[in-house]
């Protein structure tokens, strides 16, 4: 695997996620204005490649994708093929466990993705991932694990994941929902052949949803790679949406220090001592550039404490998130 992201607020601690651009439909808030008018496969391939070009040029060295992000793995694989030098020094993470079912529709489909954490789905999806990413797969995560997921208990699946880890892939999970901390703690206990199985987690942390932090600190201390996702709460923490009382502390601090709300939110994530990589989910190169200004912010403890006052109860945060429409 290429070198791990460095400590400190360098750009190598930031990653680019491809959920917003690998398929026409997703839950972020301004897709109508931010994506090309015609969300064809070629238009989104070009957008993804433009984001990867800009992120790599800026110093970003972690790229995140998933089987269920439409054609995102394929778009990333094509970009890596065209940039062999870059391919040699980036870390590529993907996920399995959801199957994309929206048939390139943005909305109006009953189900956009189907979740199943079974050995059979792993067997199919690891082949699909390898077909497009080949050996350039460094991190492979079970997608959106919750405490009831069979991924925490299925021994046949654990044997397969252990075999993948033996090939040099860092095996882990991403988490979603109000019980992220419980999920991470359960995953820390999972062993295969007497050794800890998982070595990476991607979890939601942002100033509105901080509940996973103590468990993520434990994971980091155990040597796991800890990646932060949804650092802007799916766009709720971008300037144009951060207008209500729930985001007043973010707005006020951003104004005081002369930055954008999105950069400040990502800087707060990067300031967490357990966070190895913080993802930008930018949909445009302009958003990416705004997001990456986070790398220049070195927040003080009083500033972080001011943002900590924004945290919502996890149940409330995830209720709001579940209501975001696919568009
Ligand atoms: N379960 C999982 O494993 C899981 C779940 C979610 C995400 N992820 C990963 O994490 C990555 C990031 O998560 P995310 O995209 O859901 O959330 P996010 O990073 O919190 O939000 C990204 C969205 O915020 C908006 N935004 C960002 N900067 C902006 C700016 N300067 N001005 C206005 N709007 C701005 C954009 O949406 P609009 O343009 O639509 O407004 C963008 O798509 C994903 O790409 C994916 O790789 C993983």
């Amino acid at each position: 695997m290429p070198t791990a992201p460095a400590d400190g607020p360098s750009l190598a601690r930031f990653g680019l996620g491809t959920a917003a651009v690998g398929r026409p439909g997703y839950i972020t808030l301004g897709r109508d204005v931010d994506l090309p008018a015609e969300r064809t496969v070629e238009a989104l391939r070009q957008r993804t490649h433009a984001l990867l070009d800009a992120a790599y040029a800026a110093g970003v060295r972690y790229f995140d994708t998933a089987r269920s992000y439409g054609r995102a793995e394929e778009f990333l694989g094509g970009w890596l093929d065209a940039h062999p030098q870059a391919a040699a020094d980036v870390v590529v993470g993907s996920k399995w466990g959801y199957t994309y079912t929206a048939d390139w529709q943005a909305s109006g489909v009953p189900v956009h993705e189907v979740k199943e954490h079974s050995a059979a789905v792993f067997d199919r999806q690891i082949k699909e991932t390898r077909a497009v990413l080949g050996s350039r797969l460094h991190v492979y995560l079970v997608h959106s694990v919750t405490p009831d997921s069979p991924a925490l208990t299925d021994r046949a699946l654990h044997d397969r994941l252990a075999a993948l880890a033996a090939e040099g892939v860092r095996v882990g999970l991403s988490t979603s929902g109000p019980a992220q901390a419980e999920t991470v703690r359960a995953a820390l206990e999972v062993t295969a052949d007497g050794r800890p199985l998982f070595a990476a987690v991607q979890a939601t942390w942002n100033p509105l949803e901080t509940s996973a932090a103590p468990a993520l600190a434990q994971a980091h201390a155990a040597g796991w790679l800890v990646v932060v996702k949804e650092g802007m709460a799916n766009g709720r923490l971008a300037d144009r949406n951060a207008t209500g009382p729930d985001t007043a502390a973010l707005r006020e601090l951003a104004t005081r220090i002369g930055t954008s709300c999105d950069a400040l939110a990502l800087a707060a994530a990067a300031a967490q001592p357990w966070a190895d990589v913080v993802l930008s989910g930018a949909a445009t190169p302009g958003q990416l550039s705004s997001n990456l200004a986070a790398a220049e912010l070195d927040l003080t403890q009083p500033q972080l404490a001011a943002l900590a006052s924004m945290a919502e109860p996890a149940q409330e945060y995830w209720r709001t998130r579940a209501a975001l429409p696919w568009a």
Side-chain angles (χ1 to χ4, degrees), residues 93-326:
S94 191
K95 314 183 202 80
W96 71 275
Y98 269 106
T99 300
Y100 179 65
T101 54
D103 195 24
W104 211 256
Q105 303 299 308
S107 57
V109 278
V111 185
H112 285 261
E113 47 190 18
V114 173
K115 185 175 181 176
E116 185 182 320
H117 292 164
S118 66
V121 170
F122 172 79
D123 287 345
R124 170 168 56 82
Q125 293 199 317
I126 183 64
K127 283 197 196 88
E128 294 167 349
T129 295
R130 286 291 199 195
V132 285
L133 293 175
S135 61
R136 301 161 307 192
L137 175 70
H138 306 112
V139 180
Y140 207 41
L141 308 174
V142 194
H143 203 157
S144 283
V145 176
T146 50
D148 58 347
S149 168
L152 295 170
T153 50
D154 180 342
R155 303 308 304 185
L157 173 62
H158 293 171
D159 288 346
R160 285 162 165 84
L161 295 175
L164 185 64
E167 290 172 28
V169 174
R170 198 182 263 261
V171 163
L173 63 155
S174 73
T175 57
S176 283
Q180 290 191 104
E182 182 187 341
T183 305
V184 172
R185 290 199 176 102
L188 278 161
E189 299 301 319
V190 175
T191 56
D193 296 330
R195 285 191 295 273
L197 175 63
F198 296 116
V201 63
Q202 184 181 129
T204 297
W205 186 96
N206 60 58
L208 295 171
E209 170 33 340
T210 59
S211 66
L216 296 174
Q218 265 178 267
H220 177 81
W224 287 25
L225 174 73
V226 179
V227 178
V228 175
K229 66 179 167 84
E230 301 181 295
M232 284 163 282
N234 316 108
R236 285 173 68 192
L237 301 182
D239 284 351
R240 66 182 173 206
N241 303 316
T243 53
D246 56 337
T247 50
L250 183 73
R251 237 172 16 249
E252 283 160 21
L253 183 56
T255 305
R256 191 142 43 85
I257 64 178
T259 192
S260 63
C261 288
D262 56 290
L264 180 54
L266 293 190
Q272 303 308 308
W274 42 261
D276 296 302
V277 176
V278 176
L279 295 180
S280 156
T284 71
Q287 287 180 357
L288 179 69
S289 157
S290 176
N291 296 171
L292 295 181
E296 286 144 33
L297 300 175
D298 197 4
L299 301 180
T300 63
Q301 285 308 321
Q303 289 170 338
L304 290 166
L307 296 179
S309 68
M310 290 170 61
E312 298 178 342
Q315 295 282 358
E316 184 182 324
Y317 176 87
W318 288 98
R319 242 192 328 271
T320 304
R321 195 219 186 256
L324 297 175
W326 287 74

